[in-house]
Amino acid sequence: MVGGGEGSIIGETHMLSLRADGLCELVAGALSSRPDVASLSAERQMISADRSYQSYAEMAEREAARADRIDAVVIATPPDSHLDIARQFLSRGIDVICEKPMTRDVAEAEELASLVASTGRFFFLTHCYTGYPMVRQARDMVARGIIGDIRMIEIEFCPGEPGTALEPLDPAKRHWRFKPGSMGKAAILGEVGSHSYNLACFIGGARARSVSATLATFADRREVYDNAYLTVRYENGAQGRLWSSYVASGNNMGLKVRIFGSAASLAWDQEHPEQLVHKPIGEPAVILERGYDSMSAVARSSTRFRAGFPEGYGLAFANMYTDFAKALIARELGLDNAPYLASLPTVEDGLEGMRLIAAAISSHENDGDWKQLPNR
Amino acid sequence: MVGGGEGSIIGETHMLSLRADGLCELVAGALSSRPDVASLSAERQMISADRSYQSYAEMAEREAARADRIDAVVIATPPDSHLDIARQFLSRGIDVICEKPMTRDVAEAEELASLVASTGRFFFLTHCYTGYPMVRQARDMVARGIIGDIRMIEIEFCPGEPGTALEPLDPAKRHWRFKPGSMGKAAILGEVGSHSYNLACFIGGARARSVSATLATFADRREVYDNAYLTVRYENGAQGRLWSSYVASGNNMGLKVRIFGSAASLAWDQEHPEQLVHKPIGEPAVILERGYDSMSAVARSSTRFRAGFPEGYGLAFANMYTDFAKALIARELGLDNAPYLASLPTVEDGLEGMRLIAAAISSHENDGDWKQLPNR
Amino acid sequence: MVGGGEGSIIGETHMLSLRADGLCELVAGALSSRPDVASLSAERQMISADRSYQSYAEMAEREAARADRIDAVVIATPPDSHLDIARQFLSRGIDVICEKPMTRDVAEAEELASLVASTGRFFFLTHCYTGYPMVRQARDMVARGIIGDIRMIEIEFCPGEPGTALEPLDPAKRHWRFKPGSMGKAAILGEVGSHSYNLACFIGGARARSVSATLATFADRREVYDNAYLTVRYENGAQGRLWSSYVASGNNMGLKVRIFGSAASLAWDQEHPEQLVHKPIGEPAVILERGYDSMSAVARSSTRFRAGFPEGYGLAFANMYTDFAKALIARELGLDNAPYLASLPTVEDGLEGMRLIAAAISSHENDGDWKQLPNR
Amino acid sequence: MVGGGEGSIIGETHMLSLRADGLCELVAGALSSRPDVASLSAERQMISADRSYQSYAEMAEREAARADRIDAVVIATPPDSHLDIARQFLSRGIDVICEKPMTRDVAEAEELASLVASTGRFFFLTHCYTGYPMVRQARDMVARGIIGDIRMIEIEFCPGEPGTALEPLDPAKRHWRFKPGSMGKAAILGEVGSHSYNLACFIGGARARSVSATLATFADRREVYDNAYLTVRYENGAQGRLWSSYVASGNNMGLKVRIFGSAASLAWDQEHPEQLVHKPIGEPAVILERGYDSMSAVARSSTRFRAGFPEGYGLAFANMYTDFAKALIARELGLDNAPYLASLPTVEDGLEGMRLIAAAISSHENDGDWKQLPNR
């Protein structure tokens, strides 16, 4: 792992998720750019001292030279470093698991997509909510036509917590997330908006054709946008809205997905992730639930416990690691790994997300005018 | 009552609501433009034959001439007739209770507002959701600053039922709601959007400064828009979205309100109207409930049963009639009627709604550009 | 109406419910045993002075003598007076609507049942929760075998409000409900337990064979039981529990019903009465909802508004009045009134309830031993 | 681990839970009584072949002899084998983690309690629901007097799944859970009732004084009870009910806990375990939520993710392993381990549970009479 050392929330999540199913092991790392934190973190994670590195470049070089080298690297650093880190490992034949947002901008994303294509390595982006069994169930139901033609896709991802804090008076004390340097002024779109759009594409099988956006900053002293309203027209004729906010006061995590089709709707709330509400037109709502035999194959194979024993966020994340591990094993054994890769967001998905963000910023800066996304 | 005869859903609702508290009585009507329906409806409502009229003009004239004439008339016809009906009664000194949308367009709304001002009669618009005790509670909490400065107002009103039907092949069989003749192509904004915007103003104490809109038609053969996304900037610095739809498949009634402030948020769902969720930043959610002593005075005085005995939609609507009846009695007795009028939407509120609709249509027709509303 | 004057919660509920649908009118009353309250209450209800009586005896005698006499009387007094009031009216050919618990004890209940049988008048007991459309839906589904053989019936009715108050030090200030004189020490079983058992019988088509009970008093200075656990064996082989409590702190109204069969379960919560959860074994839960075309005929005919416009407690109560009014009209017209009477609790249901209470007290006084109910 | 090999649901749960936080490792096992299953399971769990044993006796003996011997053993076999397995390991100085129900009967439980006392080893019983942060929060609130004196404790644990199946005609195909041989005819009380009673004691700080029970068998061909109603009087004056069932059709997992005090109530539902509803008398309900700074210290220290990122059942279980691991480390370092042991159910708790079960069976066999539990 690169990044993700002591004090990193996302780092801990990765560690738990990779361990939970017993298929992955954390054996090497450049866990922090600060040498003392890197060493301490590695020790706490029981990484042997000779595989705790001072930099990702050193790690890539020395791991590539080992007989027992790592199978894959997890990139858990801020987004402006992703491209270079990925390059170091991909170019040495090491697969990559990468945190979102994928890169700093569209140009970097395009370069990374080329790199992945040319090296032929596995690359997956941890849009972790696609690991939830009921999100995969929703995708499968949409693909099977159960809700008919998609009309509207409504997603909001508005974590309330950061809204608790005013920005510190001292700019040095502000989180990198709220500084324009790292991901630009529309960091919120990279941070949470990219997840929402990924879910729209993942579940809806849709891709944005154009976007109209209204961005705003509500918190005092904040230098970046903290609220983003996007209206989206999709290639398949659907429309929808994506709301990303750090100032939805009182929210906990705040991710909700609803898809309305010509025959039915589906609704999913990340805070009660075991249920998926299926509401056909003119018929009562049905509460689909993880763990039932009647769920889709992909939902059943992403499941550990019986219905009613909640699996939660950590094990949804773990589903991605387990898929990835099985894809690696299948590759090694010369077996078909497509089923294991089918639910993992790709570098192309990441590029698509960066393009939406760029178009949204452009729309906002032009009085909310509709902006086209490039064709693929 | 004018309109609202047999087969009219809204007519039945008015009749139940005016009767429930025992303060109002239905004694005269021109209940349908079809004479046979008018007579039959009057008989069923135990209106004496001599007060069942063939036209609203006749009703206005003859009622005005009676010693025991009606105190007020309820207008429950399609919106393009409201102005003239209201004129007939207002000009004869009879108060008016009027269904929404208030008129066909802004010009008519302005004329009606002048008429009300010049005649000095009571006029209230049945934006019936303002009758709910917990909506009034929310308004009071916002006014007392409990949620801080308002940042975002999110309202959706997306009844699913009409989405069940395709438009009939024979245009003659289509509901007037789905014909452009009555309220123009953006009927949906008049029908449900006007309620949402009224709630935004009622609870939030806000007024739109500008709007960006995206309208769409999803149902086959439909001649009017059936989905409307509005993004709104309010005069007080808040932003928000209003979503109106007839194609939110699977929804029942689909009205939800959320207001986010700098200190807390409030959330209310019309389908579970007894509860109002108050979520302060950093503290657990509190489920406020109708019937508690700790509720605001206005919520307590709009309440009949103890907490836990749901009052529902009919009695929320009845709260408006009861307020109105008390305002009439207070006027007659020379007492202060302000408290009884405080929660009743006015002709000015109706005009404001018509202006938002006009601006939204204009925005949609101009690539989603932001359109200003006229200052008041 | 006898009783139910100013300050009576149940009186106000009856008045609203009888008026709401426009089929009943309140025209006479002995609304209080205190003459001043009786007069004032009658005036407020617009009852003409000559039909406001000082006693129920006077009312029965004088109303019976009028050409425009009342069709039926509502008895809304404490239970120890019900038998005599009912006798006065039934014996003069006036139908009776009676509050629960039906009488003071089993002996009185038997006498009342005989009286109703011998006079041939209509008599219905206001176990008002049977007026809810979704309760009637549940009964119909059970009758149609949709949940299979009934195994368990779980009902709790634990209003939290009275738990708020300690008993006043001055016994004179205590509510009659909490004095042993009126309904004996197990008043709680008459007050709320009788509703629960009525619902078990109404929905489950079941009748208790035997009962084991544990009664307790938790509130300081309280002279009657305020918590009652009953375990019941039904004639049809089902078992179940009935929990009645005035000390379920924090509850609002606290009535919940669940019925488990060999094929599915049904669950209904009075505080969200529009929904009925139908959960088949091995399949997802289905949220049945008032207002859908797929609901049972009885649920549809007990419905006014479309799905999603909550009807609430007052209109559930009104369903009973409307059924009763239609039964009277049908009788007058010589038509079949069975459909209108089918959902109204009878004097036999009331007698059954009194028997359960007597058996429960006997069980509690004998170490929780199982007590048989008499066969019918 | 002893037992828990391939095909064991509880085995997989233990494995995930012990791994998730990175503090425990599975290094040895007698994972099945069938040698082939034992070997395969060990291989799949990456246990080296020399530490995969054919029997627990062999495992105890050989592990005890190793320098790198296991710190503790997990007993995941049917309950009639627990005592002997525990004896083998405890007597060799190896700590024990034991599945519930603790033993076959009270006599075995007493022997095991003596054994633990005499060897001085750590022993904890995996009543896993005590690992949930919000269950620990509830316990802490009760201990701090926040709900006042406890009046009623209502717990139900009624997993619906086994209700799906009729018993197979061939007795050989029936699950050991449904055979009287393993835990007697009241297996359901051992299986789920023991969890409920443990939660009553854990949260309520209560201990049963006496019990009245009604047991029943509903499923065809079933040889054991599948429904159990217990009414309990606690030493602290509280009363309550424990409902255990395998025939609550349609339920998923079906564990719900409610505690009513003189000042407030608490409610927790295992299927939505992140929330704990705190309802003070006369005040609105408060939805306490895992992850808030205002939660109790014990709830905060049992937490990984921020509020709104559900942790679920697996990580609740993992909390027990993590507590245990920290207790071991503290013991090794000579530090205070009390805080780590404070939430872990003990052998005494297990004995208490066995006594309740015995008293309940006795009550049922004596017409529901109240049976005393022995004093401690």
Side-chain angles (χ1 to χ4, degrees), chain B residues 20-60:
Chain B
D21 289 326
L23 291 177
C24 304
E25 216 178 336
L26 183 65
V27 294
L31 299 180
S32 173
S33 51
R34 290 166 47 201
D36 55 329
V37 176
S39 300
L40 176 70
S41 303
E43 194 186 328
R44 292 234 171 124
Q45 297 302 326
M46 303 185 210
I47 292 173
S48 66
D50 66 317
R51 298 181 82 173
S52 171
Y53 304 100
Q54 298 296 324
S55 73
Y56 62 82
E58 184 199 356
M59 177 175 167

Side-chain angles (χ1 to χ4, degrees), chain A residues 279-284, chain B residues 9 161-162 164-165 252, chain C residues 134 137 140 144 287-301 303-308:
Chain A
K279 184 72 180 55
I281 287 183
E283 291 172 41
Chain B
I9 289 175
E161 195 204 39
T164 60
N252 288 318
Chain C
M134 298 314 278
Q137 170 77 21
D140 186 65
R144 285 189 286 136
I287 312 298
L288 303 176
E289 183 122 8
R290 189 194 56 72
Y292 273 69
D293 290 345
S294 52
M295 293 302 100
S296 301
V298 67
R300 277 183 283 121
S301 70
T303 277
R304 292 158 197 79
F305 306 139
R306 284 168 295 173

Side-chain angles (χ1 to χ4, degrees), chain B residues 249-264:
Chain B
S249 42
N251 269 13
N252 288 318
M253 190 271 196
L255 171 58
K256 296 182 189 192
V257 177
R258 289 181 294 171
I259 302 210
F260 298 86
S262 54

Side-chain angles (χ1 to χ4, degrees), chain C residues 69-274:
Chain C
R69 72 186 205 165
I70 52 173
D71 290 308
V73 66
V74 179
I75 303 178
T77 58
D80 48 345
S81 60
H82 289 184
L83 172 61
D84 192 55
I85 301 174
R87 186 189 290 116
Q88 300 282 344
F89 287 90
L90 289 171
S91 65
R92 289 179 173 89
I94 294 171
D95 298 326
V96 169
I97 296 163
C98 184
E99 261 302 323
K100 46 51 40 190
M102 194 167 76
T103 54
R104 185 170 30 202
D105 54 31
V106 173
E108 284 193 359
E110 286 172 340
E111 190 178 339
L112 182 52
S114 301
L115 208 54
V116 170
S118 65
T119 59
R121 304 308 309 170
F122 286 164
F123 176 100
F124 92 87
L125 199 62
T126 49
H127 279 308
C128 48
Y129 307 106
T130 60
Y132 274 109
M134 298 314 278
V135 167
R136 295 173 172 191
Q137 170 77 21
R139 182 198 209 192
D140 186 65
M141 290 175 73
V142 169
R144 285 189 286 136
I146 290 176
I147 68 165
D149 295 333
I150 302 178
R151 290 172 165 179
M152 284 93 64
I153 302 176
E154 303 289 318
I155 305 187
E156 60 184 60
F157 191 173
C158 303
E161 194 205 39
T164 58
L166 294 182
E167 289 291 2
L169 284 172
D170 176 2
K173 291 189 178 157
R174 297 178 196 166
H175 194 284
W176 61 260
R177 175 182 292 132
F178 294 129
K179 289 181 191 166
S182 172
M183 280 181 289
K185 229 192 136 183
I188 189 171
L189 290 174
E191 277 291 300
V192 297
S194 64
H195 276 306
S196 296
Y197 179 54
N198 178 256
L199 283 168
C201 298
F202 184 84
I203 301 177
R207 192 168 289 279
R209 182 160 50 83
S210 56
V211 62
S212 167
T214 303
L215 312 181
T217 303
F218 282 103
D220 288 343
R221 294 188 294 280
R222 189 158 284 166
E223 297 171 68
V224 297
Y225 298 120
D226 54 17
N227 195 70
Y229 292 137
L230 274 59
T231 308
V232 179
R233 289 178 173 140
Y234 292 91
E235 288 181 347
N236 61 5
Q239 295 192 2
R241 301 180 303 167
L242 301 171
W243 177 28
S244 307
S245 186
Y246 279 134
V247 286
S249 42
N251 270 14
N252 288 319
M253 189 272 196
L255 171 59
K256 296 183 188 191
V257 178
R258 290 180 294 171
I259 302 209
F260 297 86
S262 54
S265 59
L266 294 173
W268 182 76
D269 176 351
Q270 192 275 158
E271 299 189 31
H272 296 282
E274 304 268 305

Side-chain angles (χ1 to χ4, degrees), chain B residues 70-285:
Chain B
I70 53 173
D71 291 309
V73 67
V74 180
I75 303 177
T77 57
D80 48 345
S81 60
H82 289 184
L83 173 61
D84 193 55
I85 301 174
R87 187 190 289 116
Q88 300 282 344
F89 288 90
L90 289 171
S91 66
R92 289 180 173 88
I94 294 171
D95 298 326
V96 169
I97 296 163
C98 184
E99 261 302 323
K100 44 51 45 189
M102 196 166 76
T103 54
R104 184 169 32 203
D105 55 31
V106 172
E108 283 193 359
E110 286 172 340
E111 191 178 338
L112 182 52
S114 301
L115 207 54
V116 170
S118 66
T119 59
R121 304 309 309 171
F122 285 163
F123 176 100
F124 91 88
L125 200 62
T126 49
H127 279 308
C128 47
Y129 308 106
T130 60
Y132 274 110
M134 298 313 279
V135 167
R136 295 174 172 191
Q137 170 76 22
R139 182 199 210 190
D140 187 65
M141 290 175 72
V142 169
R144 285 188 286 138
I146 289 176
I147 68 165
D149 294 334
I150 303 178
R151 290 172 165 180
M152 285 93 63
I153 301 176
E154 302 289 317
I155 305 186
E156 61 184 58
F157 192 173
C158 303
E161 195 204 39
T164 60
L166 295 182
E167 289 291 3
L169 285 171
D170 175 3
K173 291 189 179 157
R174 297 179 195 164
H175 193 283
W176 61 259
R177 176 182 292 132
F178 294 129
K179 291 181 191 166
S182 171
M183 281 181 289
K185 230 194 134 182
I188 190 172
L189 290 174
E191 277 291 300
V192 298
S194 64
H195 276 306
S196 296
Y197 179 54
N198 179 256
L199 283 169
C201 298
F202 184 83
I203 301 177
R207 192 168 289 279
R209 182 160 51 83
S210 56
V211 63
S212 167
T214 303
L215 312 180
T217 303
F218 283 102
D220 287 344
R221 292 188 294 279
R222 188 158 284 166
E223 297 172 69
V224 297
Y225 298 120
D226 54 17
N227 195 70
Y229 293 136
L230 274 60
T231 308
V232 179
R233 289 178 173 140
Y234 291 90
E235 289 181 346
N236 61 6
Q239 296 192 1
R241 303 180 303 168
L242 302 171
W243 177 28
S244 308
S245 186
Y246 280 133
V247 286
S249 42
N251 269 13
N252 288 318
M253 190 271 196
L255 171 58
K256 296 182 189 192
V257 177
R258 289 181 294 171
I259 302 210
F260 298 86
S262 54
S265 59
L266 293 173
W268 181 78
D269 177 351
Q270 193 273 158
E271 298 190 31
H272 296 282
E274 304 267 304
Q275 287 84 34
L276 175 69
V277 181
H278 173 216
K279 184 71 179 58
I281 287 183
E283 291 172 40

